[in-house]
């Protein structure tokens, strides 16, 4: 019923829009189209919600939290708007997500899984990644790296760092915050309007013992890096997908992943099945946020 109503409104409204565009200067046509889109939004959604797939976690996982994106300042609203317009054929522009980060992204399974699910759910959406082994936000804080990101033409940028920052025993929260700030400012100089989604690291261990007898303990600095990322997001009005907290946080995240046998022997990286689960849940969180947007009045 809602879709029929929308189509009727569009069929009535479209001839008026075409006539009006012939009567006004080209410079004003973009504003006129936005007015048309706003009118459609008042009378019906630009797109219907997308079907949500349930991606179960292993049976041993404990204290898993609700899989949502935190975006109290609606920082991602311009992206949801463009995606909704694409879904409703109001625009033929392509929509692209660019995901940058460390080795978790460089391994490709995490972003490729998220991209595959989203591509199946949204026609015209592409998802590309750019990860570097051992990277921190400082690694990408160069004109060349930012130019590479700009050249990928993101409509939304996902940034995934924190694991490598937290692995040095000399981790310094202030230095980490400054590095995030420097990267963010360089990005904003070239991409001032592109919505940004931060993710937190999934959790890792640090190695101890001897070569003959290795031991691993949960890295206590991961929770500090996560708190720093959340603080940065809050103070810069950015959205966050808290991967660490969703899968159990400081008390349970690492235990959940290792208990399910989804981490590699180095206790830092994950098996493909682990990265696939992370990608599935990221895509699910994105779909849930999109659905909440198109369902809101």
């Amino acid at each position: 019923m809602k879709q029929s109503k929308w189509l009727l409104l569009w069929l009535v409204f479209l001839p008026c829009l075409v006539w009006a565009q012939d009567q006004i200067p080209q410079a004003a046509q973009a504003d006129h189209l936005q007015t048309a889109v706003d009118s459609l939004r008042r009378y019906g959604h630009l797109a219907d919600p997308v079907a949500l797939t349930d991606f179960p976690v292993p049976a041993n996982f404990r204290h898993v939290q609700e899989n949502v994106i935190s975006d109290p300042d609606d920082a991602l609203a311009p992206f949801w708007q463009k995606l909704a317009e694409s879904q409703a054929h109001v625009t033929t522009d392509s929509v692209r997500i660019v995901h940058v980060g460390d080795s978790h992204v460089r391994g490709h399974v995490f972003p490729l899984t998220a991209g595959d699910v989203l591509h199946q759910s949204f026609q015209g959406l592409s998802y590309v990644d750019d990860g570097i082994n051992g990277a921190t936000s400082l690694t990408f804080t160069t004109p060349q790296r930012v130019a590479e990101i700009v050249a990928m033409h993101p409509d939304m940028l996902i940034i995934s760092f924190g694991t490598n920052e937290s692995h040095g025993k000399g981790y310094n929260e202030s230095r980490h915050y400054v590095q995030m700030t420097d990267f963010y400012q360089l990005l904003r100089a070239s991409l001032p309007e592109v919505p940004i989604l931060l993710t937190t690291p999934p959790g890792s261990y640090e190695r101890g013992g001897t070569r003959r007898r290795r031991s691993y303990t949960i890295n206590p600095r991961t929770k500090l890096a996560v708190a720093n990322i959340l603080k940065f997001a809050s103070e810069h009005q950015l959205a966050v997908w808290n991967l660490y907290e969703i899968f159990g946080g400081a008390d349970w995240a690492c235990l959940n992943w290792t208990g399910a046998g989804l981490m590699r022997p180095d206790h830092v990286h994950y098996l493909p099945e682990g990265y696939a689960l992370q990608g599935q849940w990221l895509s699910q969180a994105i779909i849930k946020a999109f659905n909440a947007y198109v369902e809101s009045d």
Side-chain angles (χ1 to χ4, degrees):
M1 185 70 181
K2 180 174 68 174
Q3 188 69 16
S4 300
K5 175 184 173 184
W6 183 91
L7 289 172
L8 179 60
L9 285 168
W10 182 242
L11 289 172
V12 171
F13 198 72
L14 181 60
C16 298
L17 175 60
V18 173
W19 177 85
Q21 285 184 312
D22 291 337
Q23 309 303 314
I24 59 178
Q26 184 174 2
Q29 287 186 10
D31 290 339
H32 193 76
L33 178 58
Q34 185 58 53
T35 300
V37 170
D38 291 342
S39 296
L40 283 170
R41 190 164 183 78
R42 283 196 296 271
Y43 292 102
H45 297 304
L46 290 176
D48 286 324
V50 173
L52 194 64
T53 303
D54 180 32
F55 297 110
V57 298
N60 72 289
F61 272 40
R62 298 290 183 268
H63 298 282
V64 176
Q65 304 298 309
E66 184 181 5
N67 184 25
V68 294
I69 291 172
S70 174
D71 187 14
D73 297 294
D74 293 325
L76 300 182
F79 176 74
W80 307 136
Q81 177 74 13
K82 183 167 185 178
L83 189 56
E85 292 171 8
S86 174
Q87 292 303 107
H89 307 291
V90 174
T91 176
T92 58
D93 292 344
S94 61
V95 181
R96 172 169 288 191
I97 295 174
V98 174
H99 191 167
V100 303
D102 51 30
S103 55
H104 298 309
V105 176
R106 178 66 180 85
H108 300 302
V109 177
F110 174 27
L112 281 178
T113 301
D116 286 345
V117 175
L118 293 173
H119 182 69
Q120 293 171 21
S121 302
F122 300 101
Q123 54 188 337
L125 182 143
S126 63
Y127 192 117
V128 297
D129 62 87
D130 183 14
I132 299 176
N133 291 336
T136 65
S137 56
L138 181 62
T139 309
F140 280 79
T141 309
T142 69
Q144 179 183 352
R145 291 294 182 193
V146 171
E148 291 172 357
I149 294 172
V150 172
M152 289 187 278
H153 305 291
D155 294 297
M156 179 169 76
L157 182 61
I158 302 177
I159 299 176
S160 298
F161 296 110
T163 293
N164 295 304
E165 286 90 338
S166 69
H167 260 273
K169 292 190 176 180
Y171 173 74
N172 182 284
E173 292 164 279
S174 296
R175 182 169 61 246
H176 181 199
Y177 196 94
V178 168
Q179 291 174 351
M180 287 189 287
T181 301
D182 291 344
F183 179 45
Y184 177 73
Q185 290 178 342
L186 195 58
L187 274 174
R188 278 293 178 238
S190 298
L191 297 170
E193 304 296 333
V194 172
I196 292 175
L197 171 65
L198 303 182
T199 77
T200 60
S204 61
Y205 291 74
E206 56 184 0
R207 188 173 64 183
T210 65
R211 178 174 292 184
R212 289 187 175 183
R213 184 174 293 228
R214 294 293 186 194
S215 63
Y216 295 91
T217 57
I218 294 173
N219 182 358
R221 294 173 297 279
T222 302
K223 64 182 180 182
L224 301 179
V226 169
N228 220 8
I229 292 169
L230 297 179
K231 176 184 175 183
F232 185 87
S234 175
E235 294 182 353
H236 291 81
Q237 292 79 53
L238 301 176
V240 182
W241 184 60
N242 195 344
L243 167 60
Y244 188 60
E245 192 64 30
I246 288 169
F247 283 105
D251 293 330
W252 283 93
C254 288
L255 297 178
N256 282 338
W257 292 113
T258 53
L262 294 175
M263 294 192 80
R264 291 192 179 278
D266 66 4
H267 289 70
V268 174
H269 299 94
Y270 290 73
L271 293 174
E273 295 83 359
Y275 283 128
L277 179 59
Q278 293 170 19
Q280 289 168 345
W281 273 54
L282 174 57
S283 64
Q284 184 188 70
I286 289 173
I287 293 171
K288 287 170 70 174
F290 171 81
N291 286 349
Y293 178 79
V294 299
E295 290 174 333
S296 65
D297 292 324

